[in-house]
Amino acid sequence: MKVGLIALAVIIGGLQSTNGQTDTGLTRLAVQADVSVGYNIHRADFSRIDARFPSCCATFTGGSGIGPSLGASITYDLGSTLGDEPIRIGARLSWTDLSATLEEDEFISYVIRGSTVSEGIARHTVTAAYGVIGIEPFVSARPLASLPLRLRLGGMIGLPLGPTFTQQEELVEPADAGVTFSDGSRVRNAFNGDLPNASTQVFATIAASWPLVFQSGLEFSPEIGYQFGLTNLTSSLQWSASSLRLGASVRYAIPKPDPEAPPPPPPPPPPVVEPRVPTLSSRIVFATEADTIVVPVIKRSVVQTRYDVPSVLFFETNSTTPLAGETDRERLQQRTIEAVRSTMMANPALRVTIIGSAAADEPPVLAKERFLWTIRQLGIDPARIAVRTETPAMPDDSILLDEHRSVSFLLNDRPAILTAIESTSSEALLPGRIDFAHVMTCDTTCRQTVQGDINGTPLGLNGTGPTYWLRLDTMTIGRGSGRLTISSSVSVGTYVDEDRQERIVTAGYADSTLTIRQVDPYATGASAARALCYFDFNSSALRNVNERELDAVRTALKAGSEVTLIASTDNIGTVESNKGLARKRADAVAELLGADASRITVETMVTNDTMNRTPMGRVGNRCVRAIIKERR
């Protein structure tokens, strides 16, 4: 026995002398197996495992047991070191027996036998057979270079494997077999079965090992470790288990594969006659060196609808909410604020007077609220704004009340006709093209190739060289972008010169088209009527005058063109009186034009009910428009 111990000490000493040496013939990967025996320590705070298995009064606080453990690991050496050895990470798969016996003694009563009185002690016992299959990631390092000791830290998740239990209550004092429980037995409440509500276990682990190297890549390590339970064995009880383990492990580092023998050197090449080297060059050239090429493939079409409107805005009853138009004409007529804003921005010298009005059946203060609302919406310099209010008397016809719920505008103290504009736009995709040149140099007969693609989709090549262009259909890049690749080559026999250029191609806008549509409620044939003047209700006095259109009509008359004046009214009153009123309005405008009456044709119009349902419709119908018939 002594001889064996001395030999073992000599072997260990020799093995330790090789510990810590680095074998360059090994990979960083290793496999490991371990076996250990553990002293299991249970911590508890319960008196009954399950309501179906009676137990009374004693509270289990702890217990112990002995259990084996088997494990297999895979480890990897990291590039960093600690204590002159690599830091390792790994994962361990294990089976661990955490079985233990928990005992608690309980005083139950005094036992009187003749003249002898002694204590009755019952011993409560729970024996748990509890094993887990564990998965344990860990990190291992040698903290001290002077001591060949490795520490391993990790955490383990354990899945219960067939947990069972047995329990009983045994009378241990007095020891006389004649003393029993009330049922005549010294053992009661004996049950066994599966441990209820067994739950997944979580452990913190630490282990220390003393590696002993047998040969290259093989280590034997005595180990001591502690496995601390962080969760309960069963979710329904305060009952956890830890284990102090003593064992050993064997680690095998996987060697590197043997390097292949280098191939024999090739035989020396035969002498060759240097062939003539042709002069070759292939280059792709774009008009710009920019990384992005913008191709105009998006065509934008803008339709601009215009309507010459009186400078007035109408509101709903008792509100600062503008009325909604029923037709395109009425909706445009209510865009007065936008028309005033654009006119004043184009003419910085203009001043505007805002007149807030409340109808006779509304609170007078509403007139002020309406011009205050209008100032906020207008958004121009307040120094260019003047304000006032008015509350017209009750009209003879109550329908005219709606026309008093308004805000009207004076530009430089004069009522004006404004141009209300509404724009809509649409886009369409067009085919596009990318121009480039292939600059080739060749001092003999050469073969050339040129091809291009976007995102791998080939493009059609057009041209005969050196200028080319690639066609993009409408779906090539759509409204987005793509990566253009153009490749070229020039070759003679085995001699080749190549070029490859890449650019980002993005969709750009081509020239936009603008279509102007003039709203004309009284259009005659293909001719559009020009609004010259608007009038107050039942009046032929000029109010809102369109000086720009009046000048255009005067110019046309001087050039010999014929002009037709269309004078219209709303439908309030009789047809006969409205026709006479329309004629008076036409005469007032003809006088303002100062033209020969023989060159002017007058048409009168009394509008129908559908054109007079709203105040916008009625005010828009109190006007004189002109149609110019150009000379042929």
Side-chain angles (χ1 to χ4, degrees):
M1 182 66 178
K2 291 182 178 180
V3 173
L5 292 175
I6 293 172
L8 179 61
V10 172
I11 292 172
I12 292 174
L15 294 175
Q16 289 179 349
S17 66
T18 63
N19 190 37
Q21 296 180 0
T22 301
D23 190 341
T24 59
L26 303 177
T27 66
R28 295 184 181 186
L29 202 63
V31 293
Q32 185 171 315
D34 63 84
V35 61
S36 63
V37 175
Y39 178 68
N40 300 328
I41 304 167
H42 284 227
R43 303 178 302 277
D45 185 10
F46 68 89
S47 59
R48 179 178 297 180
I49 293 179
D50 194 301
R52 298 173 298 174
F53 309 134
S55 177
C56 176
C57 306
T59 298
F60 294 98
T61 60
S64 61
I66 302 296
S69 175
L70 301 174
S73 308
I74 183 168
T75 65
Y76 181 80
D77 290 356
L78 300 177
S80 55
T81 61
L82 183 66
D84 294 336
E85 284 196 4
I87 299 174
R88 294 172 184 164
I89 59 172
R92 177 173 176 263
L93 179 66
S94 64
W95 168 79
T96 304
D97 184 0
L98 294 174
S99 301
T101 298
L102 287 71
E103 293 182 346
E104 294 292 337
D105 289 348
E106 177 192 2
F107 169 75
I108 55 176
S109 68
Y110 289 102
V111 178
I112 302 175
R113 290 174 298 168
S115 60
T116 303
V117 178
S118 61
E119 293 183 345
I121 305 299
R123 178 164 296 163
H124 298 264
T125 304
V126 170
T127 301
Y130 198 98
V132 293
I133 297 294
I135 300 174
E136 177 187 353
F138 61 84
V139 60
S140 170
R142 177 178 175 177
L144 300 174
S146 60
L147 188 66
L149 180 72
R150 289 192 75 90
L151 292 181
R152 187 180 78 229
L153 300 174
M156 188 176 84
I157 297 178
L159 302 177
L161 186 65
T164 62
F165 78 99
T166 61
Q167 73 170 38
Q168 68 176 23
E169 182 180 349
E170 181 182 4
L171 190 63
V172 295
E173 292 292 341
D176 186 355
V179 179
T180 66
F181 291 114
S182 60
D183 60 358
S185 170
R186 288 181 64 84
V187 176
R188 68 180 180 182
N189 294 333
F191 296 97
N192 63 78
D194 293 335
L195 193 65
N197 302 318
S199 59
T200 300
Q201 299 297 294
V202 178
F203 301 91
T205 62
I206 184 172
S209 62
W210 193 284
L212 307 173
V213 179
F214 279 97
Q215 60 184 21
S216 177
L218 187 64
E219 288 181 0
F220 172 79
S221 302
E223 289 187 352
I224 184 171
Y226 187 69
Q227 182 175 299
F228 182 74
L230 302 175
T231 55
N232 291 314
L233 302 183
T234 167
S235 61
S236 56
L237 299 176
Q238 293 291 323
W239 184 4
S240 62
S242 301
S243 181
L244 178 65
R245 316 205 70 81
L246 182 65
S249 66
V250 176
R251 178 178 179 272
Y252 177 69
I254 300 175
K256 296 179 180 178
D258 294 333
E260 296 183 0
V272 295
V273 178
E274 290 292 334
R276 175 184 176 274
V277 178
T279 300
L280 300 177
S281 175
S282 177
R283 295 291 179 268
I284 300 295
V285 179
F286 291 97
T288 175
E289 293 297 324
D291 293 334
T292 299
I293 300 175
V294 179
V295 182
V297 296
I298 303 175
K299 182 73 171 182
R300 174 176 289 169
S301 299
V302 179
V303 177
Q304 194 176 86
T305 304
R306 299 186 177 188
Y307 184 40
D308 292 333
V309 299
S311 50
V312 62
L313 177 67
F314 297 101
F315 295 86
E316 295 180 0
T317 305
N318 291 318
S319 171
T320 57
T321 301
L323 282 173
E326 297 180 359
T327 63
D328 287 348
R329 166 197 170 193
E330 294 178 356
R331 189 176 66 254
L332 276 169
Q333 193 166 322
Q334 285 290 85
R335 296 178 71 93
T336 316
I337 290 179
E338 293 91 330
V340 171
R341 183 190 304 119
S342 62
T343 301
M344 297 195 67
M345 290 178 65
N347 300 274
L350 282 179
R351 290 177 53 83
V352 62
T353 301
I354 303 174
I355 305 170
S357 175
D361 61 348
E362 293 180 314
V365 70
L366 196 57
K368 179 180 179 181
E369 293 177 1
R370 283 171 177 159
F371 78 62
L372 289 174
W373 178 89
T374 303
I375 291 172
R376 292 193 296 271
Q377 300 301 313
L378 196 55
I380 63 173
D381 184 1
R384 300 175 65 189
I385 300 174
V387 296
R388 70 170 186 259
T389 61
E390 61 182 22
T391 305
M394 178 66 73
D396 294 335
D397 194 328
S398 61
I399 194 172
L400 296 176
L401 283 171
D402 288 343
E403 299 175 25
H404 298 164
R405 315 181 205 281
S406 65
V407 165
S408 55
F409 302 88
L410 301 179
L411 297 181
N412 284 350
D413 298 323
R414 295 179 60 188
I417 293 180
L418 305 170
T419 301
I421 299 175
E422 183 176 63
S423 296
T424 59
S425 63
S426 61
E427 293 181 355
L429 293 177
L430 305 174
R433 61 183 285 170
I434 300 172
D435 295 286
F436 67 96
H438 178 217
V439 180
M440 178 186 74
T441 301
C442 180
D443 61 357
T444 183
T445 302
C446 298
R447 179 177 178 270
Q448 65 169 323
T449 60
V450 180
Q451 58 187 10
D453 66 78
I454 287 185
N455 296 336
T457 301
L459 301 177
L461 183 67
N462 301 271
T464 57
T467 59
Y468 295 95
W469 60 276
L470 299 171
R471 177 180 173 83
L472 280 66
D473 61 31
T474 57
M475 299 304 294
T476 304
I477 56 175
R479 290 177 170 82
S481 61
R483 181 172 292 278
L484 168 69
T485 302
I486 300 180
S487 303
S488 67
S489 68
V490 176
S491 61
V492 176
T494 59
Y495 295 96
V496 180
D497 188 67
E498 299 175 325
D499 191 19
R500 176 187 174 93
Q501 295 289 330
E502 292 189 351
R503 297 289 189 274
I504 296 299
V505 176
T506 185
Y509 284 91
D511 292 337
S512 300
T513 60
L514 174 62
T515 302
I516 297 177
R517 184 171 67 91
Q518 189 76 30
V519 173
D520 180 8
Y522 314 120
T524 303
S527 300
R530 304 164 181 260
L532 302 182
C533 186
Y534 285 95
F535 300 83
D536 288 334
F537 170 70
N538 200 26
S539 172
S540 60
L542 302 174
R543 177 172 174 79
N544 299 74
V545 177
N546 193 333
E547 295 291 351
R548 182 186 68 253
E549 294 296 345
L550 283 170
D551 289 342
V553 174
R554 291 188 186 102
T555 301
L557 287 170
K558 290 179 181 179
S561 299
E562 296 180 359
V563 174
T564 299
L565 297 182
I566 302 175
S568 60
T569 69
D570 58 36
N571 66 340
I572 301 175
T574 65
V575 174
E576 291 75 11
S577 63
N578 281 327
K579 285 184 177 181
L581 179 60
R583 183 68 199 197
K584 292 178 182 179
R585 289 173 175 172
D587 292 341
V589 172
E591 182 179 351
L592 185 64
L593 290 171
D596 184 354
S598 64
R599 305 281 300 282
I600 297 176
T601 302
V602 175
E603 295 180 6
T604 60
M605 177 183 295
V606 178
T607 53
N608 56 38
D609 289 343
T610 59
M611 300 178 70
N612 291 280
R613 285 202 294 258
T614 66
M616 294 86 76
R618 293 191 294 273
V619 169
N621 290 331
R622 299 166 190 157
C623 70
V624 172
R625 290 174 167 81
I627 296 176
I628 300 174
K629 186 176 182 181
E630 304 294 341
R631 294 184 62 187
R632 295 184 179 179

